[in-house]
Amino acid sequence: MVTATVWNEFRHEREDDVVAEQYPDGIHETIAEFLDERGFETRTATLDEPDHGLTGEVLDDTDVLLWWGHAAHDEVNEEVVDRVQERVLDGMGLLVLHSAHYSKVFKRLMGTSCSLKWREAGERERLWVVEPSHPITEGIDEYIELPEAEMYGERFDVPAPETLVFTSWFEGGNVFRSGCCYRRGAGKIFYFRPGHETYPIYHQSEIQQVLANAVEWAAPGEGPDPEYGEREPLESIE
Amino acid sequence: MVTATVWNEFRHEREDDVVAEQYPDGIHETIAEFLDERGFETRTATLDEPDHGLTGEVLDDTDVLLWWGHAAHDEVNEEVVDRVQERVLDGMGLLVLHSAHYSKVFKRLMGTSCSLKWREAGERERLWVVEPSHPITEGIDEYIELPEAEMYGERFDVPAPETLVFTSWFEGGNVFRSGCCYRRGAGKIFYFRPGHETYPIYHQSEIQQVLANAVEWAAPGEGPDPEYGEREPLESIE
Amino acid sequence: MVTATVWNEFRHEREDDVVAEQYPDGIHETIAEFLDERGFETRTATLDEPDHGLTGEVLDDTDVLLWWGHAAHDEVNEEVVDRVQERVLDGMGLLVLHSAHYSKVFKRLMGTSCSLKWREAGERERLWVVEPSHPITEGIDEYIELPEAEMYGERFDVPAPETLVFTSWFEGGNVFRSGCCYRRGAGKIFYFRPGHETYPIYHQSEIQQVLANAVEWAAPGEGPDPEYGEREPLESIE
Amino acid sequence: MVTATVWNEFRHEREDDVVAEQYPDGIHETIAEFLDERGFETRTATLDEPDHGLTGEVLDDTDVLLWWGHAAHDEVNEEVVDRVQERVLDGMGLLVLHSAHYSKVFKRLMGTSCSLKWREAGERERLWVVEPSHPITEGIDEYIELPEAEMYGERFDVPAPETLVFTSWFEGGNVFRSGCCYRRGAGKIFYFRPGHETYPIYHQSEIQQVLANAVEWAAPGEGPDPEYGEREPLESIE
């Protein structure tokens, strides 16, 4: 059984009524709940817990970590960032949600600024599937429509995704690479654009389906555990 | 349950004693047997059957097709090649084995010559895993050693694989991209180099494991079935 | 000096007044002219010439071939397709323009159906640069706007491009991977979406700039000419 | 004219007689000299200079930075690493040489451990070209042979290269992805494996040719300079 830990800043929901209405117990609880319903073992962790809730013990028991952050990226401790990066390189899956494009964890793993264009105008978004054979698209139609979304637009300053699964169209005239798969070390990473805190996006069933698919896809496998460092020859050398 | 159809020319085994000793019932039966033992529903098809054993009905009931050919690529009917290509684009998985790099089916799907260097000198091969997070490497060590192999060497004239999983070292001084993943249409393709007819390669357990992993990986999913052609606008146009 | 051959069906321009108004001497002449002005040695070839104007001699003297076709893909001779494919694999560059996504040449080199959604509604298109470090974007702004365009929409059934340079936004709600780079054999291929015959798209300076950049990029280099077939070992084998 | 800055730790050459014999004035001087002979404007910078020789002013005037480090990666100041990363994202090319796989700069831009297997046994290496259409292979044969080399072996813990240009064969039984291209931000990065300090590798003409080609390839272009942050809509929103 795949174990998912949902991490959230959990600030907006306590400070902003509009957000609290969408996610009364926090975005993390909403996500954990629908993943639980889909058969994953789930746990949550938030910024204001000790170690941000991400102790070595918690991560030891995490197959896939979901990360939602927005306003408090800077408050995330470098040691926790180190720990998460290390675990990803060791095989833990990572799902980076919406505004977490700017999280320390994602920037660390990408090596780029992860900057983008944005606009909050409640405009329509349509996520088109461009790679229908990818397991993250299971059960999804040709596109997902979000009636109201914050806009994220290109240029998105990330390395070209190893697989580009979704591309977004926005009413205001922009496009965006919205579903991006990466491998880093032994770990799989999926960036998924939708998810603003003031829209009911995580209550939409297709979004829930994509995230469940992505947890399944990102879960660590049983591939080899490479050894590094000095090594004897396997063949005789003249 | 994933259904695999193993296709083989089935000529060498009937014409050459050395091959017959390795694969008395044909390479296809050996492969079908170990896939069957690993829980796949299997079937075989061979060149000299009507339609090469690959009728529309058989392909309708095939999740993943494995293809072994060597001496009789030219005898494969263009109509069957059309049919296999079409099914791959519709989502059927395809595993291309060893000398099938030169099959009409593979060349059709790659668009290149699929040429390579080769040598039959019974030399040692070592396949190194370069992408340990890929599901095709499940249960495999850092490398697979083949005591005696035909050599295939770069330049291998294929499109750069979307994921390069294995790279081979050969005793005689060559290297080769030995495990190459592609997506074509809704279908997944895996080219796997090992498998010469005069060596007991398909009796080796790691090779069996890789092929079983690859069948699992290449099986069609439940992603969207895109519609093509003329389409009405989804938004109003000025 | 890079030599470019511009191939065109040259049917629409002779049969349809609207097209003839945009391209009185044919799309090929317009393209050849602006490439010539940008310092390339240019030549044209059309469907109704013997060998479609693409004899071995002409291709011998072509660094980059540009291909525009639409209504008469089926009339292109298989031998000419073979010849063009072979030359691309040998290093000739190929620029595939707009409706040539459905040309035999492109389908042959891609191995897929190259299908897509389309609509002719004179809608606005905006091509966003997603890879600003690619030489094909030299001198281009963040996006190119086409006031009126035929729509091409995802899913575009091609292999994932090795580099995705442009992504299009369409007024009617669709997106498209509009600038796609591939390598096949020793040849470089660029698919570029804009270019419908009834709009003045090839008269637009940014489009001309992109095509000139692409000719420069796709021109063959002086890399090694790989040898294929049986090869002696480079090291002693036990 | 492309301007290249060659950075070197410049420690081995002053402390170790074997190295000093190969590179009496330092590896940086040898590299700068052969780049200069090939028509680049060159400059050098070393660890023990103020700011490691890499002030903002120097980087302002650098199209491509070459980086050689080995024993003193830890002594490189984080501020300089920040500065170099930022410049790469802004378009400066970066060539990462041999043991600089473990440099802070490269690890920062890759997001992974950049670990590998290694062995110093003076064994033979053969770098095979796997992508002969790439400009970095201009003027190179099908392979480059190094009579004596330090071994670097897979698993090399880097993101899959966007283009894999070279793959190495080693006498002792290992393989390695030896020539790896990446884009990060607007910058191009090339990792090139050969170059140990105790072997005359940078005196070998094919190695010099590859590095000159790579400087040319990595030089910044004139693509768009993307704008980030909040943006007005380009289309009216309902």
Side-chain angles (χ1 to χ4, degrees):
Chain A
M1 196 191 219
V2 175
T3 305
T5 299
V6 185
W7 191 89
N8 183 14
E9 264 179 26
F10 195 30
R11 292 275 175 88
H12 288 314
E13 301 92 332
R14 295 183 293 169
E15 292 165 6
D16 182 322
D17 287 351
V18 181
V19 183
E21 205 173 315
Q22 297 290 355
Y23 302 106
D25 302 317
I27 281 178
H28 53 297
E29 290 297 343
T30 300
I31 294 175
E33 198 175 318
F34 71 69
L35 290 178
D36 185 83
E37 283 166 11
R38 280 164 171 82
F40 299 101
E41 182 150 338
T42 58
R43 175 196 287 113
T44 64
T46 56
L47 181 66
D48 293 326
E49 297 172 54
D51 267 322
H52 311 323
L54 297 174
T55 60
E57 216 167 50
V58 166
L59 293 178
D60 280 348
D61 196 33
T62 298
D63 291 320
V64 181
L65 178 66
L66 295 91
W67 193 279
W68 199 98
H70 181 208
H73 295 313
D74 284 351
E75 295 180 42
V76 176
N77 197 296
E78 290 294 328
E79 266 175 61
V80 173
V81 176
D82 292 347
R83 201 182 294 153
V84 169
Q85 178 182 26
E86 195 186 311
R87 296 304 170 104
V88 170
L89 299 182
D90 281 354
M92 184 180 74
L94 180 70
L95 271 52
V96 178
L97 305 176
H98 187 62
S99 45
H101 73 90
Y102 249 178
S103 62
K104 287 182 179 177
V105 159
F106 189 55
K107 291 200 283 186
R108 181 77 73 82
L109 284 156
M110 295 293 105
T112 59
S113 74
C114 302
S115 294
L116 44 75
K117 292 185 174 60
W118 63 273
R119 174 173 61 238
E120 212 172 333
E123 67 200 273
R124 189 152 49 256
E125 175 180 6
R126 194 173 288 111
L127 293 102
W128 288 93
V129 171
V130 298
E131 209 57 84
S133 72
H134 199 282
I136 283 178
T137 70
E138 301 257 325
I140 301 299
D141 286 335
E142 279 207 82
Y143 60 83
I144 299 172
E145 204 169 299
L146 304 183
E148 286 189 309
E150 186 188 23
M151 187 285 293
Y152 280 6
E154 298 284 346
R155 157 68 174 180
F156 183 20
D157 183 27
V158 286
E162 283 159 42
T163 311
L164 175 64
V165 180
F166 294 100
T167 296
S168 281
W169 175 98
F170 287 95
E171 201 179 350
N174 299 76
V175 297
F176 196 73
R177 289 169 293 172
S178 288
C180 297
C181 297
Y182 298 93
R183 299 173 190 276
R184 288 294 179 269
K188 278 167 269 175
I189 301 172
F190 182 59
Y191 174 78
F192 192 48
R193 200 211 78 80
H196 200 55
E197 67 277 7
T198 62
Y199 305 116
I201 285 169
Y202 294 121
H203 296 296
Q204 196 169 329
S205 69
E206 302 103 305
I207 300 298
Q208 297 180 356
Q209 182 67 42
V210 168
L211 290 177
N213 292 342
V215 170
E216 194 71 42
W217 169 79
E222 300 287 336
D225 194 14
E227 297 193 327
Y228 299 110
E230 194 168 7
R231 282 292 170 279
E232 291 298 307
L234 298 154
E235 305 283 331
S236 63
I237 293 171
E238 279 176 22
Chain B
M1 195 192 220
V2 175
T3 304
T5 298
V6 185
W7 191 88
N8 183 14
E9 264 178 27
F10 195 30
R11 290 278 174 86
H12 288 313
E13 301 91 331
R14 294 184 294 169
E15 292 164 5
D16 183 321
D17 287 351
V18 180
V19 182
E21 205 173 315
Q22 297 290 356
Y23 302 105
D25 302 316
I27 281 177
H28 54 298
E29 291 297 343
T30 299
I31 293 175
E33 198 176 318
F34 71 68
L35 289 178
D36 185 84
E37 283 166 11
R38 278 163 173 84
F40 299 101
E41 182 149 339
T42 59
R43 175 198 286 114
T44 64
T46 56
L47 181 65
D48 294 326
E49 296 173 54
D51 267 321
H52 311 323
L54 296 174
T55 60
E57 215 167 51
V58 166
L59 293 177
D60 280 348
D61 196 33
T62 298
D63 292 320
V64 180
L65 177 65
L66 296 92
W67 194 279
W68 199 97
H70 180 208
H73 295 312
D74 284 350
E75 294 181 41
V76 176
N77 197 296
E78 289 294 329
E79 267 175 60
V80 172
V81 177
D82 291 347
R83 200 181 294 153
V84 169
Q85 178 183 25
E86 196 185 309
R87 297 304 171 101
V88 170
L89 299 182
D90 281 355
M92 184 180 75
L94 179 69
L95 272 53
V96 178
L97 305 176
H98 187 61
S99 45
H101 72 91
Y102 248 178
S103 62
K104 287 180 177 179
V105 159
F106 189 55
K107 290 199 285 186
R108 181 77 73 81
L109 285 155
M110 294 293 106
T112 59
S113 74
C114 300
S115 294
L116 45 73
K117 292 184 174 60
W118 64 272
R119 173 173 62 236
E120 212 173 332
E123 68 201 271
R124 189 152 47 255
E125 176 179 5
R126 192 173 289 111
L127 292 104
W128 287 93
V129 171
V130 298
E131 208 57 84
S133 71
H134 199 282
I136 284 178
T137 70
E138 301 257 324
I140 301 300
D141 286 336
E142 278 207 83
Y143 61 83
I144 300 171
E145 202 169 301
L146 303 182
E148 286 189 309
E150 186 188 22
M151 186 284 294
Y152 280 6
E154 296 285 344
R155 158 69 174 177
F156 183 21
D157 182 28
V158 286
E162 283 158 44
T163 312
L164 176 64
V165 181
F166 293 101
T167 296
S168 282
W169 175 98
F170 287 96
E171 200 180 350
N174 300 77
V175 296
F176 196 73
R177 288 169 293 172
S178 288
C180 297
C181 297
Y182 299 93
R183 298 173 191 275
R184 289 292 179 272
K188 279 167 267 174
I189 300 172
F190 182 59
Y191 174 78
F192 192 48
R193 201 212 77 79
H196 199 54
E197 67 276 9
T198 61
Y199 304 116
I201 286 169
Y202 293 122
H203 297 296
Q204 196 169 330
S205 70
E206 301 103 306
I207 299 299
Q208 297 180 356
Q209 181 67 42
V210 168
L211 290 177
N213 292 342
V215 169
E216 195 70 42
W217 170 80
E222 302 286 336
D225 194 13
E227 298 195 326
Y228 300 109
E230 195 167 7
R231 282 292 170 279
E232 291 297 307
L234 298 155
E235 305 283 331
S236 63
I237 293 171
E238 281 175 19
Chain C
M1 196 193 220
V2 175
T3 304
T5 298
V6 185
W7 191 90
N8 182 14
E9 265 178 27
F10 194 31
R11 290 276 174 87
H12 288 314
E13 300 92 331
R14 294 183 295 168
E15 293 164 5
D16 183 321
D17 288 351
V18 181
V19 183
E21 207 174 314
Q22 297 291 355
Y23 302 105
D25 302 316
I27 281 177
H28 53 297
E29 291 296 344
T30 300
I31 294 175
E33 197 176 318
F34 70 69
L35 290 178
D36 185 84
E37 283 166 11
R38 278 161 172 85
F40 299 101
E41 182 150 338
T42 59
R43 174 198 285 115
T44 64
T46 56
L47 181 65
D48 293 326
E49 296 173 53
D51 268 320
H52 311 324
L54 297 174
T55 59
E57 215 167 50
V58 166
L59 294 177
D60 279 350
D61 195 34
T62 298
D63 291 320
V64 180
L65 178 65
L66 296 91
W67 193 279
W68 198 97
H70 181 209
H73 295 312
D74 285 350
E75 294 180 42
V76 175
N77 197 296
E78 289 295 328
E79 266 175 62
V80 172
V81 177
D82 291 347
R83 201 181 293 152
V84 169
Q85 179 183 25
E86 195 184 311
R87 295 306 170 101
V88 170
L89 299 182
D90 280 356
M92 183 180 74
L94 180 70
L95 271 53
V96 179
L97 305 176
H98 188 61
S99 45
H101 73 91
Y102 248 179
S103 62
K104 287 182 178 178
V105 159
F106 189 55
K107 291 200 284 187
R108 181 78 72 80
L109 285 156
M110 294 293 105
T112 59
S113 74
C114 301
S115 294
L116 44 75
K117 292 184 174 60
W118 62 273
R119 173 173 63 238
E120 212 172 333
E123 68 201 271
R124 189 155 45 259
E125 176 180 4
R126 193 172 288 109
L127 293 103
W128 287 94
V129 172
V130 298
E131 207 58 83
S133 72
H134 199 282
I136 283 178
T137 70
E138 300 256 325
I140 301 299
D141 285 337
E142 279 207 82
Y143 60 84
I144 299 171
E145 203 169 300
L146 305 183
E148 286 189 308
E150 186 188 22
M151 186 283 293
Y152 280 6
E154 297 284 344
R155 156 72 172 175
F156 184 20
D157 182 27
V158 286
E162 283 159 42
T163 311
L164 176 64
V165 180
F166 293 100
T167 296
S168 281
W169 175 97
F170 287 96
E171 201 179 348
N174 300 77
V175 297
F176 196 73
R177 289 169 292 173
S178 288
C180 298
C181 298
Y182 299 93
R183 297 174 191 275
R184 289 293 179 270
K188 278 166 268 176
I189 300 172
F190 182 59
Y191 174 78
F192 191 49
R193 201 212 78 79
H196 199 55
E197 66 276 8
T198 62
Y199 304 117
I201 286 170
Y202 294 121
H203 297 295
Q204 197 168 330
S205 70
E206 303 102 306
I207 300 299
Q208 297 180 356
Q209 182 69 41
V210 168
L211 290 177
N213 292 342
V215 169
E216 195 70 41
W217 170 79
E222 301 286 336
D225 194 13
E227 298 194 326
Y228 300 108
E230 195 167 5
R231 281 290 169 283
E232 291 297 306
L234 298 154
E235 304 283 331
S236 63
I237 293 171
E238 280 175 21
Chain D
M1 197 191 218
V2 175
T3 304
T5 299
V6 185
W7 191 89
N8 182 14
E9 265 179 26
F10 196 30
R11 291 277 174 87
H12 288 314
E13 301 92 330
R14 294 183 295 168
E15 292 165 6
D16 183 320
D17 288 351
V18 180
V19 183
E21 205 173 315
Q22 297 290 356
Y23 302 105
D25 302 316
I27 281 177
H28 53 298
E29 292 296 343
T30 299
I31 294 176
E33 197 176 319
F34 70 69
L35 290 178
D36 185 84
E37 283 166 10
R38 279 162 172 84
F40 299 101
E41 181 149 339
T42 60
R43 174 197 287 113
T44 64
T46 56
L47 181 65
D48 293 326
E49 297 173 53
D51 266 322
H52 311 324
L54 298 174
T55 60
E57 215 168 51
V58 165
L59 293 177
D60 280 349
D61 195 33
T62 298
D63 292 318
V64 180
L65 178 65
L66 296 91
W67 194 279
W68 200 97
H70 181 207
H73 295 313
D74 284 350
E75 295 180 41
V76 175
N77 197 296
E78 289 295 327
E79 266 175 62
V80 172
V81 176
D82 292 347
R83 200 182 295 153
V84 169
Q85 178 182 25
E86 195 185 311
R87 296 304 171 104
V88 170
L89 300 182
D90 281 354
M92 183 180 75
L94 180 69
L95 271 52
V96 178
L97 305 176
H98 187 61
S99 45
H101 72 91
Y102 248 177
S103 62
K104 287 181 178 178
V105 159
F106 189 55
K107 292 200 283 187
R108 180 78 73 83
L109 284 156
M110 295 292 106
T112 60
S113 75
C114 302
S115 294
L116 44 76
K117 293 185 173 60
W118 62 273
R119 174 173 62 238
E120 212 173 332
E123 67 199 272
R124 189 153 47 255
E125 175 181 6
R126 192 174 289 111
L127 293 103
W128 287 92
V129 171
V130 298
E131 208 58 84
S133 73
H134 199 283
I136 284 177
T137 70
E138 300 257 325
I140 300 300
D141 286 336
E142 278 206 82
Y143 60 82
I144 299 171
E145 203 169 299
L146 304 182
E148 285 189 310
E150 187 187 22
M151 187 284 293
Y152 280 7
E154 297 284 345
R155 159 66 174 179
F156 182 22
D157 183 26
V158 285
E162 283 159 41
T163 310
L164 176 63
V165 180
F166 293 101
T167 296
S168 282
W169 175 98
F170 287 96
E171 201 179 350
N174 300 77
V175 297
F176 196 73
R177 289 170 292 172
S178 289
C180 297
C181 297
Y182 299 92
R183 296 173 192 276
R184 289 293 180 269
K188 279 167 268 175
I189 301 173
F190 182 59
Y191 174 78
F192 192 48
R193 202 212 77 81
H196 199 56
E197 67 276 7
T198 62
Y199 304 117
I201 285 169
Y202 293 121
H203 296 296
Q204 196 169 329
S205 70
E206 301 102 307
I207 299 300
Q208 297 180 356
Q209 181 68 40
V210 168
L211 291 177
N213 292 342
V215 169
E216 194 70 42
W217 170 79
E222 301 287 335
D225 194 14
E227 296 193 329
Y228 300 109
E230 194 167 7
R231 281 291 169 280
E232 290 299 305
L234 298 155
E235 306 282 332
S236 63
I237 293 172
E238 279 175 21

